[in-house]
Amino acid sequence: MHYLVLALLLLLVVALSLIVARILPLPIPLPLIQIVGGVILGGVFGIEIPLDPEIFFLLFIPPLLFLAGWRIPKGAFFRDLGLIVTLAVGLVVFTVVGMGFFIYWLVPVIPVAVAFAVAAILAPTDPVAVSVVHGGNAMPARLEHILAGESLFNDASGLDIFRFAVAAAMTGSFSFSQAVGGFVWVAVGGIAIGAGVAFICGYLLRWLVRIGGEDSAIQILVSLLVPFAAYMAGQSLQVSGILAAATAGIATHYTNLHGSEMSTTRMDRRAVWKTVQTVLDGIIFVLLGEQLVRLAEADLAGARHTSLGMVALYILAISLVLLLLRFIWVWVSLYFSRFRRSICSLSAHLILVSVLTVSGVRGAITLAGAFSLPLLLPDGSPLPGRELALAIAMGVILFSLLLASFALPLLLKHLPDTPQLAAIGDERGARMSAAKAAEERLIILRSTINAHWEHKDVAYEAIDHLLEVYRRRISTGEDENEEQVWVRARVERNFRLAALAAERKQLFTLRVRREIDDELHRKLVMEVDLVEASLMSKG
């Protein structure tokens, strides 16, 4: 089947999975639905999708890591940087060493280098998978930020260690001192390359805006190309392209702070990247399901005596040991962190550690790493244990998804409500500060109105109306407590959304009656949509 047809087919399955997830009465995690879609694609329709490991890695890893770095709250990230680094680097090394020897001992047909490669791709976690399995129970903001930060950099550290393990499997030699020195070099180089690419692209875009005005299409297109530019630059200079892509995402956030982009650019870019993430994550899980069918029919590990039952036992044992290693490391890390001061009981500490442990869901990055295992050794012979390694990686992903789907909502219900877990920043204070800045600006603008203005009375009326709105917002915020402000804002938001829905309905009615034409209809509906989008983002 032609690659273009396969791509369209994968997009169709992803779209259908999103529809099914919305109409199902039970809150089944979207990745599981997409995996089932892949199983149907491969098992029922017999469609086989060939995968080139290097192309797969290039297409999926850079944009996902770039987006994770771009979106992570930077204040929360740097506040908990110590704990995040402990989890993202220390836990990865701890997991790779422990799981590498365990897999080599447990599965005799997998060579030691391949065992450590499998351990390295099992180390990274996936915050996207976590976000869809914790049900209606909201996870505390600070825990979400810690998990996102951990995932961002354990993806990079795990996949870089994976590259070293694969190189050892391909060459048959390994030097610990060279590996450590090489890891530090590729890490520092990758961070430098990623930051450099992001800042160069950011300042070039600002220069183009100054000389020719802003074009949303150019801004969005460049943002889509930056992760691939950072990744390929890192790879060509023999440093970590993975860290380069992740760092480019973080640096892009700071370049955007120093440029005044149009609101339409930010909104369109957010929508485009949300779609890209949905498509890439969806395709990866659909491919997982399709590959499961092929692996079930394959000669696992080149040994026909390796039954599916034995593979299932391997997956269960490896998953349980992964949980144990993560539990131990998280317990010790939290014990020496600032969280210890706010958690006074052993039971609360146990629940918090359990939440962080179960939240270590494996997902897209693990699967992408597994698919990128080389097919052949340099001499042309198949890589030993590759099919079995793929089966183990897929099985661990499924196990972690299912465990989190059932256990995480229950654990979150019993998680103590602690201020230390709240989000960083004073939202109320920030809103008040912004409103006062707007009021001061309007007062200055009002003083510039003079008798020579053509529509002086209209200008005074308009600016006085805006001043009244902001002064009401400021006085309300100062007179009411935080809960009252939140309740008032929620009620007002609901009424405004209802009013906007009525506006939109009437505009469609007018268009159906042909009382307005297409162009005017699109313009007015867009105005309503923009106001509604700003309100929905506050929900």
Side-chain angles (χ1 to χ4, degrees):
M1 191 177 291
H2 195 277
Y3 280 110
L4 179 59
V5 178
L6 287 176
L8 293 174
L9 189 60
L10 288 171
L11 289 175
L12 175 62
V13 176
V14 172
L16 290 175
S17 69
L18 294 170
I19 295 172
V20 171
R22 282 192 170 273
I23 63 177
L24 282 178
L26 298 176
I28 299 176
L30 179 59
L32 295 179
I33 297 174
Q34 292 167 340
I35 291 170
V36 172
V39 170
I40 294 173
L41 200 65
V44 177
F45 295 99
I47 295 175
E48 294 188 5
I49 302 176
L51 294 176
D52 184 300
E54 288 299 324
I55 294 178
F56 184 89
F57 207 87
L58 172 63
L59 289 179
F60 288 88
I61 298 299
L64 289 175
L65 291 183
F66 175 85
L67 187 59
W70 195 353
R71 285 182 173 176
I72 186 172
K74 307 306 180 291
F77 173 76
F78 287 109
R79 178 179 68 171
D80 291 309
L81 184 61
L83 180 59
I84 289 172
V85 170
T86 301
L87 295 173
V89 180
L91 178 56
V92 166
V93 174
F94 183 61
T95 301
V96 170
V97 173
M99 287 306 306
F101 285 113
F102 180 74
I103 293 173
Y104 179 61
W105 169 81
L106 181 69
V107 190
V109 296
I110 292 184
V112 62
V114 178
F116 276 87
V118 174
I121 59 176
L122 292 178
T125 56
D126 187 353
V128 176
V130 176
S131 66
V132 297
V133 298
H134 59 63
N137 302 279
M139 182 176 288
R142 191 172 182 184
L143 288 188
E144 279 194 311
H145 300 157
I146 290 172
L147 289 169
E150 176 202 1
S151 175
L152 175 63
F153 285 101
N154 71 12
D155 290 346
S157 57
L159 291 174
D160 279 328
I161 294 174
F162 166 74
R163 287 291 177 91
F164 282 109
V166 169
M170 299 294 284
T171 61
S173 62
F174 177 76
S175 170
F176 179 77
S177 59
Q178 290 181 358
V180 172
F183 180 79
V184 173
W185 163 248
V186 299
V188 174
I191 292 172
I193 291 294
V197 169
F199 281 113
I200 289 172
C201 291
Y203 285 111
L204 281 176
L205 284 175
R206 288 170 59 187
W207 176 73
L208 287 174
V209 169
R210 284 198 298 270
I211 65 173
E214 182 172 338
D215 187 325
S216 297
I218 295 175
Q219 299 277 336
I220 296 169
L221 182 58
V222 170
S223 76
L224 291 172
L225 294 175
V226 166
F228 298 102
Y231 177 83
M232 296 181 73
Q235 293 297 105
S236 63
L237 295 175
Q238 297 183 349
V239 297
S240 174
I242 299 163
L243 266 176
T247 306
I250 296 176
T252 298
H253 164 79
Y254 290 103
T255 63
N256 291 342
L257 293 178
H258 300 285
S260 55
E261 296 174 322
M262 296 188 300
S263 59
T264 53
T265 298
R266 290 191 295 270
M267 293 178 65
D268 291 345
R269 185 174 57 202
R270 187 181 300 114
V272 168
W273 270 104
K274 182 179 180 181
T275 303
V276 168
Q277 182 184 29
T278 300
V279 169
L280 292 182
D281 281 319
I283 288 177
I284 287 177
F285 286 112
V286 171
L287 289 174
L288 188 155
E290 186 271 335
Q291 292 289 309
L292 279 175
V293 176
R294 294 175 62 179
L295 284 173
E297 301 169 351
D299 177 15
L300 292 175
R304 297 195 176 275
H305 62 273
T306 306
S307 64
L308 290 177
M310 184 62 70
V311 174
L313 289 177
Y314 288 157
I315 292 170
L316 179 62
I318 291 171
S319 299
L320 293 177
V321 173
L322 272 174
L323 284 172
L324 178 62
L325 293 175
R326 183 174 177 85
F327 185 89
I328 293 172
W329 189 271
V330 170
W331 182 286
V332 175
S333 298
L334 288 183
Y335 184 83
F336 291 105
S337 73
R338 288 178 291 179
F339 279 103
R340 184 188 174 192
R341 307 171 197 165
S342 60
I343 301 173
C344 51
S345 67
L346 180 62
S347 61
H349 187 80
L350 179 61
I351 293 174
L352 180 59
V353 172
S354 300
V355 167
L356 289 172
T357 300
V358 175
S359 296
V361 179
R362 272 64 185 179
I365 301 299
T366 293
L367 191 60
F371 284 152
S372 67
L373 278 168
L375 298 169
L376 303 173
L377 293 172
D379 61 5
S381 60
L383 180 70
R386 184 182 187 274
E387 299 298 331
L388 185 53
L390 277 172
I392 289 172
M394 294 178 186
V396 170
I397 293 172
L398 284 172
F399 180 90
S400 63
L401 279 171
L402 290 171
L403 177 65
S405 300
F406 292 104
L408 199 54
L410 297 176
L411 289 170
L412 288 173
K413 288 180 181 178
H414 297 90
L415 188 66
D417 187 14
T418 305
Q420 290 291 331
L421 300 180
I424 188 173
D426 177 13
E427 180 178 349
R428 181 185 178 188
R431 291 184 183 275
M432 292 285 291
S433 177
K436 290 177 180 179
E439 180 192 25
E440 292 172 3
R441 179 60 178 164
L442 289 172
I443 291 173
I444 294 173
L445 290 175
R446 194 180 193 281
S447 65
T448 63
I449 301 175
N450 53 53
H452 301 291
W453 278 53
E454 183 178 356
H455 302 289
K456 181 180 67 173
D457 295 338
V458 175
Y460 275 123
E461 183 180 352
I463 209 162
D464 287 342
H465 170 71
L466 289 173
L467 279 169
E468 181 183 354
V469 171
Y470 278 106
R471 284 168 178 167
R472 176 175 173 269
R473 185 186 301 177
I474 293 169
S475 63
T476 301
E478 291 175 343
D479 296 340
E480 297 179 339
N481 60 40
E482 189 169 351
E483 183 178 356
Q484 289 174 322
V485 170
W486 183 82
V487 171
R488 178 186 293 273
R490 184 182 62 179
V491 172
E492 183 177 328
R493 170 181 172 273
N494 290 338
F495 282 135
R496 291 190 67 187
L497 287 174
L500 289 171
E503 280 191 57
R504 186 186 294 106
K505 182 179 179 181
Q506 181 62 21
L507 290 173
F508 276 97
T509 301
L510 293 175
R511 178 66 193 109
V512 170
R513 293 175 182 170
R514 299 186 180 181
E515 297 181 26
I516 57 177
D517 63 9
D518 285 345
E519 186 175 358
L520 179 58
H521 175 257
R522 281 195 295 268
K523 175 186 175 182
L524 296 178
V525 170
M526 175 61 74
E527 291 177 1
V528 174
D529 289 343
L530 289 173
V531 176
E532 185 181 65
S534 68
L535 293 173
M536 294 298 290
S537 66
K538 300 176 185 178

